Amino acid sequence: MQFELNAQARTLQGTGASRRLRHAAKVPGIVYGGEAAPQSIEVDHNDLLLKLKKEAFHSSIINLIVDGKKEQVLLRDTQVHAYKPLVLHVDFQRVDSTHELHVKVPLHFINEEIAPGVKLNGGLVNHVMTEIDVQCLAGDLPEFIEVDLSALKVGDSIHLSQLKLPKGVKIVHHTADDSVVVGIVGKGGSSEEAAAGEAAAE
């Protein structure tokens, strides 16, 4: 999915200037990275808020147009009000086609309802992770990674090493462990306990 966001260069700095921007339904932000210097920007609040509600916006290359000049960026951080639907600040990072990105990508779980552990045994799906860190070139960045649960029985789980990754995409491991991504647990027990029970029965 392609996203485009219009912005204007921002020259006034400080708390007072940011407050005035917010009163004018604008969000202060910054664009950094690459060979160019960091640039302060302002974007339309309502346009940004609508895009932030779309999952893909958080893990897609965005065409940011600053005063008519287009550059490709990634959303890196947002500051939001504690309880109001207000975006207070936004950070973007410039990207190019030759440098690998380190990005969090959401996981989309499919076929949960037909997994034998759920359909036949009344097990419950335990989502241990909902997103993973990946490394890839901008052109290979996926909006999400699909995880198919159709073969899982009670006690089964899918680990990071078992995920089917798009071409050019690598998982960034934070530990040496092959962590569990998702599993199916029996009622009243963990997937590990269920697996142990099945092994004992065999």
Side-chain angles (χ1 to χ4, degrees), residues 41-56:
I41 61 169
E42 58 185 73
V43 298
D44 180 79
H45 179 272
N46 292 339
D47 184 30
L48 178 62
L49 186 62
L50 284 174
K51 288 181 168 66
L52 287 172
K53 292 179 179 179
K54 298 179 179 179
E55 180 190 63

Side-chain angles (χ1 to χ4, degrees), residues 38-114:
Q39 182 178 18
S40 296
I41 61 169
E42 58 185 73
V43 298
D44 180 79
H45 179 272
N46 292 339
D47 184 30
L48 178 62
L49 186 62
L50 284 174
K51 288 181 168 66
L52 287 172
K53 292 179 179 179
K54 298 179 179 179
E55 180 190 63
F57 187 71
H58 297 258
S59 58
S60 295
I61 303 299
I62 301 161
N63 289 318
L64 182 68
I65 304 171
V66 182
D67 294 335
K69 181 182 177 183
K70 182 183 293 187
E71 54 187 343
Q72 292 192 318
V73 300
L74 270 176
L75 176 68
R76 278 307 190 188
D77 191 35
T78 54
Q79 297 174 25
V80 297
H81 194 278
Y83 56 88
K84 296 179 182 179
L86 292 175
V87 185
L88 304 178
H89 195 274
V90 62
D91 291 5
F92 296 103
Q93 180 185 354
R94 298 183 184 98
V95 300
D96 63 54
S97 59
T98 60
H99 290 80
E100 286 195 329
L101 308 170
H102 181 176
V103 190
K104 287 185 182 296
V105 173
L107 299 173
H108 282 192
F109 299 94
I110 63 169
N111 295 324
E112 296 185 5
E113 67 284 350
I114 66 170

Side-chain angles (χ1 to χ4, degrees), residues 107-112 145-150 158 163 181-182:
L107 299 173
H108 282 192
F109 299 94
I110 63 169
N111 295 324
E112 296 185 5
I145 291 173
E146 203 167 70
V147 185
D148 187 356
L149 277 63
S150 61
I158 295 175
L163 295 180
V181 174
V182 63

Side-chain angles (χ1 to χ4, degrees), residues 118-164:
V118 174
K119 187 174 182 179
L120 302 179
N121 303 111
L124 301 173
V125 178
N126 179 29
H127 300 99
V128 181
M129 300 181 186
T130 56
E131 61 183 14
I132 59 171
D133 287 329
V134 302
Q135 193 169 342
C136 62
L137 294 173
D140 295 327
L141 179 63
E143 290 180 18
F144 59 86
I145 291 173
E146 203 167 70
V147 185
D148 187 356
L149 277 63
S150 61
L152 294 192
K153 302 185 291 292
V154 169
D156 287 349
S157 57
I158 295 175
H159 293 250
L160 284 173
S161 62
Q162 297 172 292
L163 295 180
K164 294 181 179 179

